[in-house]
Amino acid sequence: MRLTAVDENAARIGLKCGQGLTEARAICPSLLVIEEDQAADRRFLEALADWCDRYTPLVALEGSDGLFLDITGSSHLFGGEQPLLDEMSARLLAMGLEAHAAISPSPGLSSALARFGGKPIVEAHEAEDVLAPLPLSALRIEASTIQALAKVGLKQIGDLLDAPRAPLVRRFGAVLLLRLDQALGRDEEAISPRLPVAPLSAERRLAEPIQAQDHILSLARQLADGLAPSLEARGAGGRLFELVLFRVDGQVFRLKAGASTPLRDKERIARLFAERLQAVHDDLDAGFGFEILRLNVLRHEPFDARQGDFEDNDRRQQSLAEFVDQVSARLGADCLQTYQLRESHIPERAVVPVAAIEHLMVRKPMQEAAPLHRTVERPLRLFTHPEPLEAYAAEVPDGPPVRFRWRRLNHKVSRAEGPERIATEWWLDAVEDEEGKPKKVDRTRDYFRLECETGERFWVYREGLYDQTPNPRWYMHGIFA
Amino acid sequence: MARAVLAQETVFALRETIAKLEGKAVPSMAAARQDAYPAEERAHRLSLGVEALDEALEGGLPLEGITEIRSQGFRDAGASSGFALALSGLMQERGATGPAPFLWIADRMSAMEAGSPYPLGLRQFGLDIARFLVARPDRLEDALWLAEAALASGIFGTTILEIRGNPKAFGLTESRRLHLRAKAAGRPLLLLRHAGEEEASSALFRFLLEPFPARARLLPDGSMLGGSIGHSVFRLTLEKSRNPAPLSFLLEWNPHDRQFRDLSSAEQPLLREDRPAHSGRSLSKAGDRQDIAPLLGAVLAFDRAS
């Protein structure tokens, strides 16, 4: 076991990363050791990245202990680069974190400066000067390459700057010079932000943190009001909104709420979040309050402005959409479902449940396929998974059962209609054997409508034909009124 | 003397309170009488088309408020769901404002025990499924909230709330709350209780549903096709109403005409006597194979001469 990280006190008494645990204990017997939990470290870094959202929406993770922030165009909001750096350092220090930060034109240079010291804010023309005295490990290259370079006497980045490029590439690979060029800004390096940037967003920073739900909602309403002009300029309405709440102690909450029609109205947007807040009530711990609120529009769609007519059709449509939004925001989008019909003989495939919020109010409803077989009867209630039943004394080859046992109850069939034979959809259900040839599996269903002596009506089927399957099984698939 | 008058006053006051609780117009004490129900009351009722049943329901099914439909066990789920859906179909048929959306609030356990509503079957049962919504809440509290929100929005022609057994969380208070909400919105709520006991609730009427063997399919000449299963038949017991004794009916639901027929009274003629001389096609269209070649020319159906 080895030490993977040490704190300030441990470093002061001479412990280092990579040291054996026994050796460290010999130096300091009262050492407090905590086992490394990489997943927890990762979660912490991601939470910190969430917190950094307050400075810019473009935040990327670097390695296991670094963050890249693309502050292009956002530093002026904090009064310039130096005030931004100061404010961030002060806040992180207040949260109990020791952080090193640097601002420079390229991610590679920032990383080198933050990790190995130097000027915190570097302009493009100073890049070579500040990079020259730094060790080679600042370039984020492999340890073996660093060792090989050290053997030939190249220890600082300055040693590489003047060296001829071609022999270096031949001997140490292209990555070395790529990293160098990236650090100097001669080659481009893209950071990959964790979250997509919202097309539209509005935020409010508060001097006094708020806790009450009503205050959050009234601010959300104001933010939605602020978004309306930009949505109007695009001729769009939002379908998916996100309310980001920054708590004073650095915790960030994200609440998402969808709408079934494109929305601009601030009241309806606020109502979505009212339901959402009700639903997450216990999980949303306001603590000492929220200091920043941001409303993002994650997805927007063309908004067709409609003129109301004298009949109430439009309003009814509207209130159905409102009901769907309300339920989906509170109980989740999967709670409320509607259906689409598909062209299939297999009963469970002829009807596809879809979330109402996605499909109820689509601008051009998809042409629904007419289900096949309009003349044969279908049950009122269908089992999601057909239930096996024991059929006694069924007529061979294609007759209904005379008696059957289902859920530990015996039923005596008095009348039966059928069979309705439904063959497998081989273009979907083809089974291949080991050699890749289609395997012959008999899944033909013979459906029967049965009425029992007590009056219940069932829909049962036999899977497989008697001459192809030795012991065909029977299933209960639905019940009639 | 004065005391007697005072007592009478009190009785009148109490009667008025009762009338108010029952949602009747206060000044018309006549409304409390069985024989006459005012016209405005009849407007909020849905006639089931069966005279004896409408009589027992004082004009029909109330279109505002709760109606409870109960079954004794899950093996009767088909009959109870069928009756609830038949009522919804009837409401869609008689609804003044075209096809309104229609909401089914499902219970997860009931879906496992008796299956989920199947839209194609619903359509064959005479329902318009263009705006059919199914809600699948996880908890009973969510289901009750959903029912209340749906009633308050006032957009659903029918709301069916499916409940299993007699849960504690759905007692008299909750049903009263839903009933008042439904009354305020002027919308019906059908409470479908599977495998439940009789329980005091705010529902105006409670039906007990049991399955009953169907009649055979009807051939065009009026005879029956032996061995076939025709329209669904329910055995309906009106458990809670103003009638002193529970009433029992046998009802057949015709999904094509969207109407009930009473089978319990004397056997009615299956076809009208004055039907046309030509009964139309002699064979029904084949569902699963090619149709026969159509005849040339057209056959006109004149009314009978005498």
Side-chain angles (χ1 to χ4, degrees), chain A residues 235-281:
Chain A
R239 281 290 300 272
L240 187 61
F241 296 91
E242 185 186 49
L243 187 65
V244 192
L245 301 165
F246 293 79
R247 205 165 72 184
V248 177
D249 61 353
Q251 185 88 21
V252 178
F253 294 93
R254 294 172 186 276
L255 303 177
K256 280 185 190 167
S260 56
T261 44
L263 284 193
R264 260 183 217 165
D265 182 20
K266 61 177 177 178
E267 294 300 330
R268 284 187 62 187
I269 297 173
R271 227 173 298 152
L272 284 184
F273 284 106
E275 293 297 339
R276 198 79 201 96
L277 282 172
Q278 282 287 344
V280 298
H281 191 261

Side-chain angles (χ1 to χ4, degrees), chain B residues 226-268:
Chain B
S228 63
I229 308 171
H231 297 316
S232 305
V233 177
F234 315 102
R235 187 206 292 278
L236 181 78
T237 310
L238 185 53
E239 283 185 334
K240 181 184 177 186
S241 69
R242 283 165 185 276
N243 293 292
L247 288 169
S248 218
F249 297 90
L250 272 187
L251 288 188
E252 185 189 69
W253 169 247
N254 184 336
H256 306 297
D257 303 342
R258 299 214 240 183
Q259 62 181 15
F260 286 109
R261 179 209 282 275
D262 188 9
L263 296 185
S264 46
S265 58
E267 192 63 20
Q268 292 170 345

Side-chain angles (χ1 to χ4, degrees), chain B residues 14-26 176 183:
Chain B
L14 283 174
R15 271 194 196 153
E16 273 195 6
T17 317
I18 290 171
K20 252 189 215 164
L21 282 177
E22 287 175 344
K24 307 218 161 177
V26 179
R176 177 104 192 119
K183 219 162 172 55

Side-chain angles (χ1 to χ4, degrees), chain B residues 84-103:
Chain B
L85 288 167
L87 288 181
S88 316
L90 206 60
M91 286 172 192
Q92 284 188 344
E93 166 90 8
R94 310 275 168 83
T97 52
F102 146 53
L103 175 71

Side-chain angles (χ1 to χ4, degrees), chain B:
Chain B
M1 188 66 198
R3 196 172 290 167
V5 170
L6 266 182
Q8 211 169 6
E9 276 288 280
T10 321
V11 168
F12 272 120
L14 283 174
R15 271 194 196 153
E16 273 195 6
T17 317
I18 290 171
K20 252 189 215 164
L21 282 177
E22 287 175 344
K24 307 218 161 177
V26 179
S28 59
M29 291 301 281
R33 287 207 301 272
Q34 288 267 348
D35 49 356
Y37 23 85
E40 72 263 27
E41 184 119 329
R42 203 189 281 257
H44 301 298
R45 299 273 173 154
L46 175 79
S47 162
L48 298 187
V50 176
E51 207 166 297
L53 186 56
D54 283 346
E55 197 68 33
L57 296 177
E58 299 161 40
L61 202 72
L63 280 179
E64 36 194 49
I66 305 185
T67 306
E68 183 172 336
I69 295 161
R70 176 174 90 87
S71 71
Q72 278 172 337
F74 270 108
R75 55 183 296 165
D76 300 346
S80 52
S81 327
F83 185 65
L85 288 167
L87 288 181
S88 316
L90 206 60
M91 286 172 192
Q92 284 188 344
E93 166 90 8
R94 310 275 168 83
T97 52
F102 146 53
L103 175 71
W104 177 293
I105 303 170
D107 171 48
R108 282 192 188 259
M109 190 66 195
S110 305
M112 275 190 261
E113 288 283 330
S116 317
Y118 185 58
L120 291 180
L122 258 52
R123 190 164 68 183
Q124 279 180 344
F125 206 62
L127 284 136
D128 178 12
I129 55 163
R131 287 257 183 269
F132 173 51
L133 291 175
V134 177
R136 300 179 195 282
D138 285 326
R139 300 176 306 153
L140 182 64
E141 292 78 41
D142 292 342
L144 296 179
W145 175 81
L146 256 166
E148 197 183 337
L151 288 172
S153 72
I155 38 175
F156 291 100
T158 327
T159 311
I160 297 180
L161 174 62
E162 198 178 23
I163 279 190
R164 172 178 45 99
N166 300 67
K168 261 203 189 114
F170 185 68
L172 194 56
T173 325
E174 287 81 9
S175 80
R176 177 104 192 119
R177 185 184 166 102
L178 282 184
H179 180 72
L180 289 177
R181 180 68 77 183
K183 219 162 172 55
R187 294 287 164 185
L189 174 70
L190 298 178
L191 177 66
L192 180 57
R193 195 192 288 278
H194 295 299
E197 301 291 319
E198 294 174 54
E199 189 187 75
S201 76
S202 289
L204 289 176
F205 299 105
R206 183 174 60 233
F207 299 102
L208 173 69
L209 263 291
E210 284 158 315
F212 194 81
R215 295 189 309 168
R217 284 180 197 272
L218 209 58
L219 290 177
D221 63 348
S223 63
M224 300 279 201
L225 178 64
S228 63
I229 308 171
H231 297 316
S232 305
V233 177
F234 315 102
R235 187 206 292 278
L236 181 78
T237 310
L238 185 53
E239 283 185 334
K240 181 184 177 186
S241 69
R242 283 165 185 276
N243 293 292
L247 288 169
S248 218
F249 297 90
L250 272 187
L251 288 188
E252 185 189 69
W253 169 247
N254 184 336
H256 306 297
D257 303 342
R258 299 214 240 183
Q259 62 181 15
F260 286 109
R261 179 209 282 275
D262 188 9
L263 296 185
S264 46
S265 58
E267 192 63 20
Q268 292 170 345
L270 295 173
L271 288 178
R272 287 184 300 141
E273 273 311 303
D274 56 342
R275 66 181 191 274
H278 189 273
S279 61
R281 297 174 65 104
S282 55
L283 289 172
S284 60
K285 216 171 174 176
D288 50 352
R289 71 199 68 167
Q290 228 172 15
D291 202 6
I292 53 167
L295 293 173
L296 281 175
V299 181
L300 293 179
F302 294 109
D303 281 345
R304 275 181 197 278
S306 59

Side-chain angles (χ1 to χ4, degrees), chain A residues 37 223 273 320 329 331 352 360 385 413 478-480:
Chain A
D37 183 352
L223 289 174
F273 284 106
L320 179 61
L331 303 178
V352 185
L360 197 65
H385 307 287
V413 178
I479 51 179
F480 289 93

Side-chain angles (χ1 to χ4, degrees), chain A residues 275 316-317 319-320 323-324 326-327 330-331 334-339 341 346-348 350-351 356 360-361 371 373-384 387 406-407 409-411 415-417 449-458 479-481, chain B residues 75-78 81-82 85 97 99-101 103-104 110 112-125 131-137 142 145-146 149-150 153 155-156 162 194 211-217 227-230 232-234 287-288:
Chain A
E275 293 297 339
R316 182 128 61 90
Q317 195 88 340
S319 51
L320 179 61
F323 175 75
V324 171
Q326 188 189 8
V327 173
R330 186 164 176 141
L331 303 178
D334 292 336
C335 179
L336 205 59
Q337 292 179 331
T338 180
Y339 290 92
L341 304 181
I346 311 276
E348 60 265 33
V351 169
L360 197 65
M361 297 295 160
H373 272 293
R374 304 181 71 92
T375 47
V376 287
E377 303 233 6
R378 290 282 177 260
L380 274 188
R381 308 187 66 139
L382 192 81
F383 289 105
T384 324
E387 299 188 359
W406 176 55
R407 288 186 179 163
L409 281 179
N410 280 314
H411 297 269
R415 281 183 286 177
E417 283 186 344
R449 206 172 159 229
L450 305 180
E451 187 181 86
C452 296
E453 280 183 333
T454 39
E456 296 106 341
R457 284 167 281 274
F458 298 112
I479 51 179
F480 289 93
Chain B
R75 55 183 296 165
D76 300 346
S81 327
L85 288 167
T97 52
L103 175 71
W104 177 293
S110 305
M112 275 190 261
E113 288 283 330
S116 317
Y118 185 58
L120 291 180
L122 258 52
R123 190 164 68 183
Q124 279 180 344
F125 206 62
R131 287 257 183 269
F132 173 51
L133 291 175
V134 177
R136 300 179 195 282
D142 292 342
W145 175 81
L146 256 166
S153 72
I155 38 175
F156 291 100
E162 198 178 23
H194 295 299
F212 194 81
R215 295 189 309 168
R217 284 180 197 272
S228 63
I229 308 171
S232 305
V233 177
F234 315 102
D288 50 352

Side-chain angles (χ1 to χ4, degrees), chain A residues 124-403:
Chain A
H125 59 85
E126 306 168 322
E128 284 194 20
D129 297 343
V130 294
L131 209 54
L134 296 182
L136 282 171
S137 46
L139 280 183
R140 297 177 292 157
I141 47 180
E142 284 177 25
S144 58
T145 318
I146 295 174
Q147 277 179 359
L149 285 162
K151 275 184 195 158
V152 297
L154 301 172
K155 290 186 176 159
Q156 289 182 335
I157 298 177
D159 300 339
L160 294 180
L161 288 175
D162 302 324
R165 294 172 66 91
L168 278 176
V169 171
R170 206 157 51 234
R171 190 153 173 193
F172 302 103
V175 180
L176 174 64
L177 285 182
L178 176 71
R179 289 295 189 204
L180 185 63
D181 285 347
Q182 283 177 342
L184 290 174
R186 291 177 197 151
D187 209 335
E188 214 170 302
E189 181 181 1
I191 65 167
S192 46
R194 294 168 59 242
L195 304 170
V197 181
L200 287 171
S201 122
E203 76 171 30
R204 180 69 62 88
R205 283 165 197 261
L206 308 168
E208 183 75 18
I210 53 167
Q211 289 165 313
Q213 195 168 321
D214 291 348
H215 295 164
I216 296 176
L217 279 178
S218 75
L219 268 178
R221 192 175 297 121
Q222 290 176 22
L223 289 174
D225 203 21
L227 278 179
S230 349
L231 281 170
E232 268 166 31
R234 294 177 180 221
R239 281 290 300 272
L240 187 61
F241 296 91
E242 185 186 49
L243 187 65
V244 192
L245 301 165
F246 293 79
R247 205 165 72 184
V248 177
D249 61 353
Q251 185 88 21
V252 178
F253 294 93
R254 294 172 186 276
L255 303 177
K256 280 185 190 167
S260 56
T261 44
L263 284 193
R264 260 183 217 165
D265 182 20
K266 61 177 177 178
E267 294 300 330
R268 284 187 62 187
I269 297 173
R271 227 173 298 152
L272 284 184
F273 284 106
E275 293 297 339
R276 198 79 201 96
L277 282 172
Q278 282 287 344
V280 298
H281 191 261
D282 293 335
D283 298 334
L284 191 76
D285 180 10
F288 290 108
F290 301 105
E291 53 178 349
I292 301 180
L293 272 84
R294 181 184 296 165
L295 183 66
N296 290 334
V297 180
L298 296 185
R299 207 171 80 220
H300 58 72
E301 277 175 15
F303 183 91
D304 49 344
R306 252 189 266 152
Q307 191 174 7
D309 52 7
F310 287 114
E311 289 177 5
D312 260 358
N313 288 335
D314 199 48
R315 206 170 55 85
R316 182 128 61 90
Q317 195 88 340
Q318 202 72 6
S319 51
L320 179 61
E322 250 171 76
F323 175 75
V324 171
D325 294 350
Q326 188 189 8
V327 173
S328 302
R330 186 164 176 141
L331 303 178
D334 292 336
C335 179
L336 205 59
Q337 292 179 331
T338 180
Y339 290 92
Q340 278 192 334
L341 304 181
R342 295 282 155 82
E343 221 161 353
S344 171
H345 287 286
I346 311 276
E348 60 265 33
R349 284 195 190 144
V351 169
V352 185
V354 286
I357 190 165
E358 295 295 333
H359 287 88
L360 197 65
M361 297 295 160
V362 278
R363 284 151 59 82
K364 269 188 198 155
M366 200 170 83
Q367 192 60 47
E368 285 191 346
L372 306 159
H373 272 293
R374 304 181 71 92
T375 47
V376 287
E377 303 233 6
R378 290 282 177 260
L380 274 188
R381 308 187 66 139
L382 192 81
F383 289 105
T384 324
H385 307 287
E387 299 188 359
L389 55 87
E390 284 176 72
Y392 309 123
E395 286 171 38
V396 176
D398 43 22
V402 180
R403 279 183 298 126

